[in-house]
Amino acid sequence: MIIGQTTPGGSKARPEGRLIILAMLALGASLPACADEPPPPAATAATAAPPPPAKAPPPLPRSSIAAVVQHRGELGLTDQQIDAMETRDREREEEDRAVRADDEKRRKAAQEAAQSGANARNAAPPGRMPGGGMRGGGMPGGGMGGPHGGHPPGGGAGTPQGESLEDRPQGDSLEDRLDADDTKAYLDIEDLLTPAQREPAREIASDFRAQLYDRRQQQRHGAGAR
């Protein structure tokens, strides 16, 4: 029916009917647009909750001897054995303190020697090396580092006895020296063990050293990642 057209009864369509038709047309035109709207985006990984922090591993025993003492029940250690082991472990701690103090002293000496050498090079006149030699011209009597003059091989200017941290023998790091003390102390207490106790005790000590090595590697990797 055309809006405003006369009905068969002779009357025109009501204005209310015209408004209803217009509203229905408007509603029908808006439905496709609503259907085409994309759904809201799903939650991304960035908005997800972060994973819980990893738990710190339990602390290790302070030494191989301490690891063995922790298994006293399994090994059947007597009170006398435990007392003697703990006494030797305290002695090891005193030795370790001396090793750390010596290592710190050597590090400071090497740093001071390197600084002294740098200061001497900076203060030398242009074209001359510290000690009177010509830059690039060598030293009299065999040249720099030769048998008749110059610094000893491997040594730097101002380094006591030509020693530096780089000149120290391989395997002489602080960790190596502490490990050597730990091994020596453990071998000392093996004489306190019975033949039946020695093999399982040595396995316990070896397992402790393996865990200690792994912890050190993890610490190094963690420090390098920062």
Side-chain angles (χ1 to χ4, degrees):
M1 180 182 67
I2 301 175
I3 299 173
Q5 182 179 359
T6 304
T7 61
S11 61
K12 294 183 177 181
R14 288 184 172 185
E16 295 84 352
R18 183 183 303 174
L19 293 175
I20 292 172
I21 293 173
L22 292 174
M24 292 175 64
L25 292 174
L27 179 61
S30 64
L31 286 176
C34 295
D36 293 339
E37 291 181 1
T44 61
T47 59
K55 291 184 179 181
L60 291 176
R62 64 180 178 270
S63 67
S64 296
I65 295 177
V68 171
V69 171
Q70 283 187 358
H71 292 77
R72 65 188 73 189
E74 173 187 340
L75 296 172
L77 300 177
T78 65
D79 292 341
Q80 291 79 8
Q81 287 175 317
I82 293 172
D83 290 343
M85 290 179 181
E86 291 179 341
T87 298
R88 182 62 185 93
D89 205 28
R90 286 191 293 270
E91 293 173 354
R92 177 203 53 80
E93 289 181 333
E94 292 293 332
E95 295 166 359
D96 284 356
R97 276 191 282 270
V99 167
R100 290 189 177 94
D102 178 68
D103 185 79
E104 183 66 20
K105 181 179 178 181
R106 295 171 71 175
R107 287 179 181 275
K108 288 182 178 179
Q111 291 172 358
E112 292 171 359
Q115 185 62 43
S116 298
N119 293 339
R121 288 191 295 272
N122 293 335
R128 287 190 144 319
M129 291 290 291
M134 295 299 296
R135 195 182 303 272
M139 293 286 289
M144 198 169 174
H148 301 292
H151 304 301
T159 304
Q161 293 85 37
E163 180 187 357
S164 67
L165 288 178
E166 291 75 16
D167 298 327
R168 287 163 62 174
Q170 294 295 324
D172 196 25
S173 68
L174 176 60
E175 286 182 356
D176 291 329
R177 297 169 72 187
L178 295 177
D179 288 344
D181 281 352
D182 182 84
T183 300
K184 182 178 181 299
Y186 173 79
L187 293 176
D188 289 344
I189 64 98
E190 270 200 341
D191 292 338
L192 303 171
L193 302 173
T194 66
Q197 293 170 332
R198 288 181 185 176
E199 188 60 32
R202 182 166 290 192
E203 291 180 2
I204 292 169
S206 297
D207 183 63
F208 158 75
R209 293 290 287 271
Q211 292 183 57
L212 179 61
Y213 174 82
D214 291 341
R215 294 283 180 92
R216 288 172 177 172
Q217 293 299 106
Q218 293 172 2
Q219 291 173 357
R220 289 192 185 99
H221 294 161
R226 288 195 292 270

